[in-house]
Amino acid sequence: MTQRVGIKDVARVAGVSAATVSLVLNDRAADRIPPSTQERVRLAAQEIGYAPNRLARSLRTRRTHTIGLVSDRIATTPYAVRMVEAAQDVARERGYLLFLVNTGGDPALERDAVAALLDQQVDGLVYACMWHRVLDDLPENLPADAVFLDARPATGGFPAVVPDDRGGAVAAVQELVDAGHRRIAFIDIDEEPPPVASGLRREGYLEVLRRAGIEPDPALHVRGVSDAAGGMAAASRVLDLPAERRPTALFCFNDRIAMGAYAAARHHGLEIPTDLSVVGYDDQQLIAAELDPGLTTVRLPHYEMGRWAVEVLLGARERPTDEDGVVLMPCPLVRRDSVAPPPTREPGRRRG
Amino acid sequence: MTQRVGIKDVARVAGVSAATVSLVLNDRAADRIPPSTQERVRLAAQEIGYAPNRLARSLRTRRTHTIGLVSDRIATTPYAVRMVEAAQDVARERGYLLFLVNTGGDPALERDAVAALLDQQVDGLVYACMWHRVLDDLPENLPADAVFLDARPATGGFPAVVPDDRGGAVAAVQELVDAGHRRIAFIDIDEEPPPVASGLRREGYLEVLRRAGIEPDPALHVRGVSDAAGGMAAASRVLDLPAERRPTALFCFNDRIAMGAYAAARHHGLEIPTDLSVVGYDDQQLIAAELDPGLTTVRLPHYEMGRWAVEVLLGARERPTDEDGVVLMPCPLVRRDSVAPPPTREPGRRRG
DNA sequence: GCACAACGCTAAATCGGTTTAACAAAACGG
DNA sequence: CCGTTTTGTTAAACCGATTTAGCGTTGTGC
């Protein structure tokens, strides 16, 4: 890892001073230095394979061209990994290198991570969460120009980007209403405190019902543990309802719940989408695309959010003018094969 | 991001020179400087909130306490993300910061990434792949002390860690043999060229059969596209065999294929594990644990490999003495509920 | 009272670049 | 031919720390 050739080696070979080399190689030469000399310097640099020591350069210029991404768990879980990818992509495109730190949500580690990154003189910091969160307390050493990703400080004051969970839910439920469904259950997750996304998606769900003139049935809003087993149990509860109250469609809080709903449907002898329509949320590749039939779901715009955050951080995109600086990233509906019109007759008991 | 207080500010407040401050704060003072002065310096540093500029320090000491992780896609896919987590954990534990770069496998980008990291004077480099790979050509500017993660150069010469795919397959198939199965199919993946893991797992499969005195039936080795649909198609082919040739157990190349195998079993009216046992590979959380019944599978030791790589890189663990420097990380069997003894009678057609 | 050692501390060099101010030589204007 | 610009280049300061060599003062031994 030892830096072999330095600027003065280039200078020696080209027969000029280090200052000249620096000027030429940074294109600060403009018209001060004749093309002949420039050529000579560049050739020398090329020849001996010179690459500037960025530490030295950064020390002087006070810009490191590095940014830090501190997250609770993104780099840890398969869930929101594309936010990291996006951040990385933007960083690379703009000539930046990305420091990645995972804190697991531990405030002490968070503080240390921020401090370590600042000591490294990073040019900017992104604070990211795995799930859409509203943060009550932040690391107190967070620089004023940090950007939030998939999270926003309760107090505002920082640029932040979060998914438009409400809008996504509207799209999902509207899809069901448009297919002709009137009895639509919401299979929510059972967590305390309820995640931000839960409340927002419920709002979207209720809004569509209201607009469609459908009276929400409290029995159709159930909660389950956020995994396939929980989804199956919760879905079973609504599918067990007497025929006239039973839903013809399920809006699931996420794809894992939807996976459980598929199982519940099977156990009830219902075929998807003929007898029962299902919509999920998250568009988890390993689930939504692999289920049979493919799950219609709402995609979380992780990549787009990741890009947004770093672009704003690097000044490549203008900060939101919005009062609290929060941007809602749209969650597009991904149509697959789990939605169909409701059955016209009593669902038949076909072979599962 | 401007570094406010510097070492000379501390010096001024404490009434000593910058040299003394450095000595004290780096514990190089030992007995040269009396406790009273040391105390004074530390207090001053504390008071004005001094944190050293690591760039300046690194420039002088020639150690940056940063490492680079360049990978084809790990940070991009949900698949092997725990390798990054592990790398991050070890880095943090030992006071290092981690640069993450994703190249998508593009050789030009790889070269640039390595160059950029070296220009940043990283103390070490990990070259990681998402899947177990044998690399024919490496970035030519890779430093000699790089470490390979989930990959190994064909030519050897670098420390490298890869999963013991063969051993994992042995454990998986042995589990089936121990349960009493004799007709065990291998649902392989259909890729050209076949991934390293495919060959190794097949070897393990064949070895167990041989040891158990079971003649391998070529009809029981099928290939399918590596997703649930492909797995379903491939599994169907062996399940369609006449009763006496039909397998009672399936060893699937990965969990996605196994997911498809579950669907195929359903379509054939077979219940898992009563009528058909299934073992997967990878232990993908979103699949293996969520399937019903839970999938017995082999876990890829991503976390352990990630730790190993960075520990070796940082000298916290001794390099393999092995000729080619490759370490095989064991893949433990994860028992869930998809394995049972083979049915004694003709499998009945229960309700699916 | 003097040589010498120990103590406590610091000036200055250094890492490898960037940047500014200025100098020498050439060109130009009158 | 002399004063002034312009041109081409560089010496030196600087970024903020670490590290080495050494300086002044006090203490010790004889």
Side-chain angles (χ1 to χ4, degrees):
Chain A
M1 295 299 139
T2 36
Q3 183 83 8
R4 289 281 105 237
V5 303
I7 198 171
K8 38 184 93 118
D9 297 308
V10 180
R12 189 161 22 71
V13 172
V16 295
S17 72
T20 303
V21 175
S22 175
L23 258 16
V24 170
L25 263 28
N26 289 297
D27 284 327
R28 266 185 220 303
D31 43 331
R32 319 268 309 120
I33 294 178
S36 61
T37 307
Q38 298 205 22
E39 186 65 10
R40 198 146 36 88
V41 169
R42 281 188 232 278
L43 234 55
Q46 171 92 33
E47 184 186 338
I48 65 179
Y50 168 69
N53 180 325
R54 289 202 160 249
L55 291 191
R57 186 214 292 276
S58 298
L59 183 58
R60 183 69 233 259
T61 62
R62 307 179 135 284
R63 314 214 75 232
T64 55
H65 282 261
T66 61
I67 60 177
L69 176 65
V70 4
S71 91
D72 51 355
R73 308 210 87 93
I74 350 180
T76 290
T77 63
Y79 192 67
V81 131
R82 283 180 57 85
M83 295 199 296
V84 177
E85 180 189 8
Q88 211 307 115
D89 284 355
V90 177
R92 181 169 35 66
E93 286 165 16
R94 316 198 84 85
Y96 280 72
L97 243 25
L98 179 82
F99 280 114
L100 183 74
V101 184
N102 247 79
T103 64
D106 176 340
L109 281 186
E110 264 177 8
R111 226 209 74 94
D112 291 353
V114 171
L117 289 168
L118 293 181
D119 293 352
Q120 272 295 334
Q121 313 294 116
V122 291
D123 290 340
L125 219 50
V126 173
Y127 184 105
C129 291
M130 181 173 50
W131 294 306
H132 183 170
R133 285 179 61 194
V134 174
L135 302 162
D136 285 318
D137 25 36
L138 314 174
E140 75 279 10
N141 55 350
L142 206 63
D145 57 355
V147 174
F148 284 77
L149 172 54
D150 208 8
R152 60 192 179 85
T155 54
F158 291 87
V161 59
V162 296
D164 182 10
D165 281 299
R166 193 171 191 287
V170 166
V173 180
Q174 188 65 52
E175 177 82 354
L176 293 169
V177 167
D178 288 348
H181 295 274
R182 307 280 299 172
R183 299 201 51 78
I184 302 170
F186 178 34
I187 319 289
D188 204 350
I189 60 173
D190 190 17
E191 271 173 34
E192 242 5 280
V196 181
S198 173
L200 291 170
R201 293 178 196 173
R202 188 169 129 271
E203 280 180 25
Y205 163 74
L206 292 175
E207 175 181 330
V208 174
L209 294 192
R210 185 164 37 71
R211 282 205 310 234
I214 300 171
E215 176 73 17
D217 178 349
L220 295 187
H221 183 188
V222 294
R223 293 176 186 276
V225 178
S226 179
D227 59 20
M232 171 159 160
S236 288
R237 264 185 287 143
V238 292
L239 296 181
D240 281 339
L241 289 171
E244 74 283 2
R245 300 193 58 197
R246 186 200 283 170
T248 59
L250 269 32
F251 171 45
C252 301
F253 179 80
N254 63 31
D255 292 349
R256 296 162 80 194
I257 297 249
M259 188 173 174
Y262 270 50
R266 253 194 325 271
H267 283 114
H268 282 75
L270 298 172
E271 204 162 285
I272 295 171
T274 341
D275 304 322
L276 182 71
S277 290
V278 178
V279 180
Y281 213 113
D282 290 358
D283 194 32
Q284 291 204 262
Q285 291 308 307
L286 291 179
I287 297 183
E290 305 286 12
L291 284 175
D292 179 27
L295 176 67
T296 290
T297 187
V298 179
R299 187 167 67 79
L300 279 172
H302 284 136
Y303 190 83
E304 292 82 349
M305 295 196 298
R307 283 202 76 92
W308 188 96
V310 177
E311 284 176 356
V312 166
L313 186 69
L314 297 183
R317 178 194 289 256
E318 52 191 293
R319 327 207 128 206
T321 51
D322 188 293
E323 65 183 82
D324 55 357
V326 177
V327 158
L328 297 182
M329 192 65 73
C331 299
L333 183 73
V334 178
R335 292 192 175 84
R336 293 206 180 82
D337 308 304
S338 61
V339 174
T344 46
R345 302 275 143 216
E346 180 74 357
R349 295 237 152 197
R350 299 179 184 75
R351 250 216 16 67
Chain B
M1 294 295 142
T2 37
Q3 183 80 12
R4 290 282 105 237
V5 303
I7 198 173
K8 38 183 92 118
D9 297 308
V10 181
R12 189 164 19 76
V13 172
V16 295
S17 74
T20 304
V21 175
S22 176
L23 258 16
V24 170
L25 263 28
N26 290 297
D27 284 327
R28 267 185 218 303
D31 42 332
R32 320 265 308 117
I33 294 178
S36 61
T37 307
Q38 298 207 24
E39 185 65 11
R40 200 146 36 87
V41 169
R42 282 188 232 278
L43 234 56
Q46 171 92 33
E47 184 186 337
I48 66 179
Y50 168 69
N53 179 327
R54 288 199 161 250
L55 290 191
R57 185 215 293 275
S58 298
L59 183 58
R60 183 69 234 259
T61 61
R62 309 179 132 284
R63 315 214 73 233
T64 55
H65 282 260
T66 61
I67 59 177
L69 177 64
V70 5
S71 91
D72 52 355
R73 309 209 85 92
I74 352 177
T76 290
T77 63
Y79 192 66
V81 131
R82 283 181 56 87
M83 296 198 297
V84 177
E85 179 189 9
Q88 212 304 117
D89 284 354
V90 177
R92 181 169 36 63
E93 286 166 15
R94 314 198 86 85
Y96 281 72
L97 242 27
L98 179 82
F99 280 114
L100 182 74
V101 183
N102 247 80
T103 64
D106 176 339
L109 281 186
E110 264 176 9
R111 226 210 76 93
D112 291 352
V114 170
L117 290 167
L118 293 181
D119 293 350
Q120 272 297 332
Q121 313 294 116
V122 292
D123 290 340
L125 218 51
V126 173
Y127 183 104
C129 291
M130 180 173 48
W131 295 307
H132 183 167
R133 285 180 61 194
V134 174
L135 302 162
D136 285 318
D137 24 37
L138 315 173
E140 74 280 11
N141 55 350
L142 207 64
D145 57 355
V147 175
F148 284 77
L149 172 53
D150 207 8
R152 60 193 180 83
T155 55
F158 291 87
V161 59
V162 296
D164 182 9
D165 281 298
R166 194 173 190 286
V170 166
V173 180
Q174 189 65 53
E175 176 83 354
L176 293 169
V177 167
D178 289 349
H181 295 275
R182 308 279 300 173
R183 298 199 52 76
I184 302 171
F186 178 34
I187 318 290
D188 204 349
I189 59 172
D190 189 18
E191 271 173 33
E192 249 354 289
V196 182
S198 173
L200 292 170
R201 293 179 197 172
R202 187 169 131 269
E203 281 180 24
Y205 163 73
L206 292 175
E207 176 180 329
V208 174
L209 294 192
R210 184 166 37 71
R211 282 205 312 236
I214 300 171
E215 176 72 15
D217 179 349
L220 294 188
H221 182 187
V222 295
R223 294 175 187 276
V225 178
S226 178
D227 59 18
M232 171 158 159
S236 288
R237 266 186 286 146
V238 293
L239 295 182
D240 280 340
L241 289 171
E244 73 282 4
R245 300 192 60 197
R246 186 200 283 170
T248 59
L250 268 31
F251 171 44
C252 299
F253 179 80
N254 63 30
D255 292 350
R256 296 162 80 195
I257 296 252
M259 189 172 175
Y262 269 51
R266 253 196 324 273
H267 283 114
H268 282 76
L270 298 172
E271 204 162 286
I272 296 171
T274 341
D275 305 323
L276 183 71
S277 289
V278 178
V279 180
Y281 213 112
D282 292 358
D283 194 31
Q284 291 201 262
Q285 291 308 307
L286 290 179
I287 297 184
E290 304 287 13
L291 284 174
D292 179 27
L295 176 67
T296 290
T297 189
V298 179
R299 186 167 68 76
L300 279 174
H302 285 136
Y303 190 83
E304 292 83 348
M305 295 196 298
R307 284 201 76 92
W308 188 95
V310 177
E311 283 175 357
V312 166
L313 186 71
L314 297 183
R317 176 195 290 255
E318 51 190 296
R319 328 207 130 206
T321 51
D322 189 292
E323 65 183 83
D324 55 358
V326 177
V327 157
L328 297 182
M329 192 65 72
C331 299
L333 184 74
V334 179
R335 292 194 174 81
R336 293 206 178 82
D337 309 304
S338 61
V339 174
T344 48
R345 300 278 142 213
E346 179 74 356
R349 295 238 152 195
R350 299 177 186 76
R351 251 216 14 72

